[in-house]
Amino acid sequence: MAVGDSLSMDEYKLTLASPEKIVPLDPNLVLPKPTPDLETAKADLKRAGYAILTDVFPEAVVRTARQVLADEIKREEAIDQSRVSKFFVDPDAKNRRLNRLPDRHEVFRQILEHPVVLELTKHILGPTVLNESYLVHSVDANVTRPGSGAQFIHLDASNGVGHQKAPNQSRFIWCLDEFAEENGATRVVPGSHLWNSEIDNSGATSYESVPAEAPAGSLIIYTDMLLHGTGANISTNRERASINFGLTPPWCRPSINFPLVLDPEVMKNTSQTLRQLLGYSSVMNGGDYPWENAPESIRSLCVPPTIAY
């Protein structure tokens, strides 16, 4: 998350209440609408910085993912509520966040290697130099609950990347509930993917945003160059659940070292594609670094890096 390098988190949040500058929306920009057409979504992504693609996942898969997510959050809360709340960039402890999703159910493993996700990633990031697999940068869940506050508008990139001219991440939000402004739909700043060095991450600038409203099951697509943030859930009885994930080129370091986080037993019978995406390879960018000091349970999962999908 991009926060001011010279500010503490508390100091940064204080600046959001009284910004020195407010950047309005572009009144001439036509906002993307939910569409089942992949080419329309690609055009929306290029023009506005985000797109909303429908009909990617069957309704039964969406229902399964939503129920598993609710069950897993309940199970974690029974152990210790802090395991799923008080995320440091949330303004309060009402949201629920869940990690280690590939360990929890096959439905969360399947979405990472879905053909549409992989096609969009190649479209956004371009082909890899040595035909190596992209890597999962991160994957987690976010559930906004009634009364939860809005997250600050940010980039899914480090601060100080004003030189960046192209995305380093393909980003996806899988909507497990309907996304509406009332229940905390992700807010986006349309067109901000083109602003590069003009973006101010210090907190002194506020950016007007719009909710990315989408039906349940939709896939919101964007990149690490788009300003966005979780919306406030002002409803009295509506949750808003999502699976948030991103992929990155093989030369970028993912935010999570998945082979050291995930359960090797769960990964045993997974596809070569999934293991490539999660970083189970000793070869990267032409260098071979055998996992000689890793446990056998992890070494046995290692696969070649060349794309198998």
Side-chain angles (χ1 to χ4, degrees):
M1 301 297 177
V3 297
D5 286 339
S6 60
L7 301 177
S8 70
M9 178 58 69
D10 288 340
E11 290 171 332
Y12 180 80
K13 289 179 179 178
L14 284 175
T15 66
L16 302 180
S18 55
E20 299 173 4
K21 178 182 177 183
I22 298 177
V23 178
L25 293 170
D26 179 354
N28 298 315
L29 188 62
V30 178
L31 301 181
K33 296 180 179 179
T35 177
D37 183 68
L38 186 59
E39 294 308 310
T40 299
K42 289 178 180 178
D44 287 341
L45 183 65
K46 180 179 180 180
R47 175 177 51 81
Y50 71 102
I52 303 170
L53 187 63
T54 61
D55 300 345
V56 179
F57 305 98
E59 290 184 13
V61 172
V62 179
R63 288 196 300 271
T64 295
R66 185 64 177 95
Q67 187 59 57
V68 171
L69 179 59
D71 292 344
E72 287 293 297
I73 288 175
K74 185 177 181 180
R75 185 172 69 86
E76 293 286 359
E77 285 179 324
I79 299 171
D80 183 350
Q81 183 174 305
S82 67
R83 291 164 67 108
V84 290
S85 65
K86 299 180 180 178
F87 191 56
F88 79 104
V89 294
D90 286 334
D92 51 55
K94 294 180 180 179
N95 281 5
R96 292 293 180 265
R97 294 183 180 266
L98 191 70
N99 55 28
R100 294 186 299 104
L101 296 185
D103 272 356
R104 298 179 188 274
H105 196 276
E106 64 179 352
V107 70
F108 300 130
R109 299 190 289 272
Q110 292 169 352
I111 63 170
L112 297 177
E113 56 180 331
H114 193 284
V116 169
V117 168
L118 298 179
E119 179 178 343
L120 284 166
T121 293
K122 186 172 184 178
H123 171 75
I124 291 168
L125 301 179
T128 56
V129 176
L130 297 174
N131 197 35
E132 295 166 301
S133 175
Y134 305 98
L135 299 175
V136 176
H137 183 270
S138 61
V139 54
D140 53 47
N142 182 15
V143 182
T144 72
R145 292 185 167 182
S148 60
Q151 186 184 37
F152 58 88
I153 296 295
H154 63 277
L155 298 171
D156 284 342
S158 157
N159 215 6
V161 290
H163 63 281
Q164 186 175 337
K165 302 301 182 184
N168 286 333
Q169 291 182 55
S170 60
R171 297 294 309 176
F172 303 92
I173 300 174
W174 184 23
C175 308
L176 299 186
D177 296 316
E178 178 190 17
F179 269 41
E181 184 166 19
E182 182 188 44
N183 70 348
T186 299
R187 301 193 68 87
V188 297
V189 181
S192 60
H193 66 305
L194 301 175
W195 296 351
N196 291 312
S197 59
E198 299 174 15
I199 293 177
D200 176 14
N201 289 316
S202 70
T205 301
S206 174
Y207 295 90
E208 289 189 1
S209 61
V210 296
E213 296 188 308
S218 300
L219 198 63
I220 299 174
I221 309 144
Y222 64 107
T223 76
D224 56 325
M225 299 181 73
L226 183 79
L227 288 166
H228 68 287
T230 303
N233 189 329
I234 60 174
S235 74
T236 58
N237 60 357
R238 296 176 64 190
E239 289 188 345
R240 182 284 266 174
S242 65
I243 306 301
N244 312 317
F245 61 103
L247 286 82
T248 195
W251 54 266
C252 280
R253 179 181 178 182
S255 65
I256 302 163
N257 189 340
F258 286 103
L260 296 184
V261 171
L262 300 178
D263 183 353
E265 288 299 312
V266 173
M267 295 300 297
K268 266 185 179 180
N269 298 315
T270 57
S271 70
Q272 178 171 318
T273 294
L274 182 65
R275 278 181 277 166
Q276 286 177 332
L277 292 168
L278 291 172
Y280 288 88
S281 178
S282 65
V283 180
M284 196 54 61
N285 289 340
D288 188 3
Y289 293 84
W291 297 5
E292 293 178 351
N293 295 310
E296 172 58 26
S297 59
I298 294 179
R299 290 203 309 272
S300 64
L301 296 170
C302 191
V303 293
T306 304
I307 290 178
Y309 48 86

